[in-house]
Amino acid sequence: MDDGSMRYFQGFRCHYNDVLGPTKGGIRFHPQVTRAEIQALALWMTIKCAVLDLPFGGAKGGVVVQPKELSPMELERLSRAYMRSMADFIGPDSDIPAPDIYTNSMVMGWMVDEYEAIKRVRAPAVITGKPIALGGSRGREEATGRGAYLCIREVAARHNWQPDKIRVAIQGFGIAAYHVARLLQKDGYNIVAISDSKGGIYSDKGFNIDSLWEEKQNSKQVRAVYCEQSVCELVEHVEISNDELLALDVDLLIPAAIEGVIGLHNCDSIRAKTIVEVANGPVRSEAEASLAERGLTIVPDVLVNAGGVTVSYFEWVQNRSGYPWSLGRVREELEARMTTAVHETFRIAESEQRTLRNAAYVLALRRIGQAVQAHGTKEYFQNGDAQNSA
Ligand code: GLU
């Protein structure tokens, strides 16, 4: 630590499944990180990569820490220390980390630098979500939000939504939440509520997202402001808690913070018709049946927030080929992949009478199953007709 003292932090990295390729998934720094949580998140990464048809398995990492209490130097030492512990457990062909909650491109930059120092090679493809100057991809930062926006656009087309009639509440105001909010607002959606871990704001008239974001960068708070150039003034609003935000009478609810926020304790209070999961695992499985019974549509995390890992895949491809893509190409290929995955998920849901989450899992598990089979299963060899089956 900066004062010369020594502190130990507990950290994890889980490789859940690598049937489809090297494992992939972010590293979060959060005080509530547990081993079970990281394992669940690594399972979700496995499904997510398969839904998007990426040649990756699933992994996740985390450190039990409140990063807001660390100085920038302490954060750098912690990031490098994590990499020193994990350097033999990751690699461009085995396991590729990326940012997650409270980690960002700066943290990824320190980690890749540490990895390269340990291995004495240049290995940009070992981590994605890096600063562009160190081999990061254009469009990676906005990718999770843009992917979610593309998903919502498809849902909107199916429901014949008129954007200016759609009231949106967003729980969380991290990078993913900001970009999805910004893109929705550009299309005319009315963002009436937004929050961070400390609480939220509500206004019937809706907020200007870029103003809120600029203020959040400066003051680290969600404040109801409207800014012209750098002059910001307060606008009419009501302060609300995160629980109140989730219970608002809106058309579209976007949990974009952390897992488990909608459960048996509050599912009866949810009034939105559609939930789009930008966070990983915001709806607890116990609550899902009663929400579905009430006719709510839940667009699942493993599809909605997969834009992030998809552009991570593009970053890995760019690093390995040594040829950076233009922002236009990244956006185009993201759009193609996301819309294909959304269409495939809807097709399974409609033709097999499944919820969207169930359909996304079916899509993923069929792909993983095909790879298991292609690798050769016990049954396959025991049948003795391996050569004849073609
Ligand atoms: N942490 C992000 C996720 O949960 C991105 C993972 C990645 O890019 O590997 O999807």
Side-chain angles (χ1 to χ4, degrees):
M1 309 305 286
D2 290 350
D3 66 5
S5 67
M6 174 80 99
R7 258 182 80 185
Y8 286 91
F9 296 89
Q10 194 175 23
F12 304 95
R13 183 81 186 158
C14 169
H15 299 169
Y16 193 88
N17 182 292
D18 66 352
V19 168
L20 291 178
T23 56
K24 186 86 193 78
I27 299 169
R28 64 173 55 177
F29 286 176
H30 195 273
Q32 259 109 47
V33 161
T34 64
R35 179 191 170 113
E37 178 202 36
I38 297 301
Q39 287 174 320
L41 286 158
L43 156 67
W44 287 329
M45 284 308 305
T46 308
I47 301 296
K48 198 185 295 185
C49 291
V51 169
L52 268 289
D53 208 8
L54 308 178
F56 286 144
K60 200 78 176 197
V63 177
V64 189
V65 58
Q66 175 48 273
K68 293 177 190 166
E69 288 164 7
L70 298 188
S71 73
M73 280 301 294
E74 288 168 341
L75 194 64
E76 177 172 351
R77 281 185 225 114
L78 178 65
S79 306
R80 289 182 182 276
Y82 183 87
M83 185 48 83
R84 283 198 296 281
S85 316
M86 297 296 177
D88 290 330
F89 199 53
I90 68 166
D93 292 308
S94 58
D95 178 33
I96 306 126
D100 197 75
I101 292 178
Y102 294 153
T103 55
N104 56 17
S105 60
M106 193 167 64
V107 170
M108 297 305 115
W110 292 326
M111 287 187 177
V112 74
D113 185 56
E114 190 68 25
Y115 182 88
E116 293 181 336
I118 292 167
K119 302 284 179 183
R120 301 185 78 82
V121 287
R122 297 312 292 255
V126 73
I127 284 201
T128 59
K130 300 178 294 293
I132 291 181
L134 292 180
S137 177
R138 293 186 179 83
R140 174 62 185 84
E141 192 152 298
E142 65 167 28
T144 309
R146 180 171 287 274
Y149 159 76
L150 294 168
C151 230
I152 295 168
R153 221 175 54 179
E154 294 297 317
V155 174
R158 276 160 205 269
H159 287 95
N160 285 319
W161 282 350
Q162 251 178 284
D164 56 332
K165 299 256 154 54
I166 301 294
R167 290 154 44 85
V168 187
I170 304 181
Q171 186 198 33
F173 203 27
I175 294 166
Y178 162 60
H179 284 289
V180 73
R182 174 179 70 81
L183 291 165
L184 286 175
Q185 179 159 67
K186 227 167 103 191
D187 274 5
Y189 287 82
N190 194 11
I191 320 290
V192 295
I194 202 149
S195 68
D196 68 4
S197 57
K198 289 173 233 109
I201 50 175
Y202 172 84
S203 162
D204 238 0
K205 297 194 196 78
F207 294 110
N208 177 280
I209 297 304
D210 279 317
S211 299
L212 300 190
W213 183 248
E214 198 179 308
E215 177 65 21
K216 170 91 179 157
Q217 299 316 295
N218 296 333
S219 69
K220 306 280 171 230
Q221 282 171 39
V222 175
R223 290 183 63 228
V225 292
Y226 179 76
C227 308
E228 286 280 353
Q229 261 105 39
S230 58
V231 185
C232 298
E233 58 184 52
L234 221 55
V235 296
E236 215 182 300
H237 69 283
V238 186
E239 312 248 322
I240 53 172
S241 68
N242 267 296
D243 285 339
E244 286 166 335
L245 182 141
L246 294 173
L248 285 173
D249 187 10
V250 290
D251 303 287
L252 181 56
L253 176 61
I254 304 185
I258 199 156
E259 62 265 13
V261 295
I262 299 171
L264 286 179
H265 64 289
N266 63 353
C267 64
D268 290 340
S269 68
I270 305 292
R271 284 185 283 171
K273 316 277 171 317
T274 305
I275 298 178
V276 171
E277 295 183 326
V278 169
N280 286 309
V283 177
R284 290 178 174 273
S285 50
E286 313 90 79
E288 189 128 9
S290 94
L291 292 170
E293 248 165 53
R294 283 171 40 208
L296 248 100
T297 304
I298 302 176
V299 194
D301 49 4
V302 291
L303 177 65
V304 174
N305 70 28
V309 70
T310 300
V311 176
S312 274
Y313 166 56
F314 298 160
E315 182 171 330
W316 182 78
V317 169
Q318 292 171 65
N319 293 153
R320 289 164 69 98
S321 64
Y323 185 80
W325 297 3
S326 67
L327 180 59
R329 176 166 178 197
V330 169
R331 286 181 174 167
E332 220 171 272
E333 299 218 11
L334 173 64
E335 182 164 342
R337 289 228 174 220
M338 278 307 295
T339 39
T340 304
V342 175
H343 290 168
E344 286 174 326
T345 304
F346 269 99
R347 188 177 45 75
I348 295 176
E350 280 155 16
S351 65
E352 301 177 23
Q353 310 283 310
R354 298 176 185 276
T355 63
L356 290 173
R357 189 187 315 281
N358 201 287
Y361 275 70
V362 164
L363 176 62
L365 289 171
R366 282 181 188 152
R367 282 190 178 133
I368 293 168
Q370 276 165 6
V372 169
Q373 233 158 13
H375 278 113
T377 63
K378 203 163 98 207
E379 291 79 32
Y380 179 79
F381 289 108
Q382 271 170 353
N383 283 344
D385 59 356
Q387 290 89 333
N388 304 332
S389 60

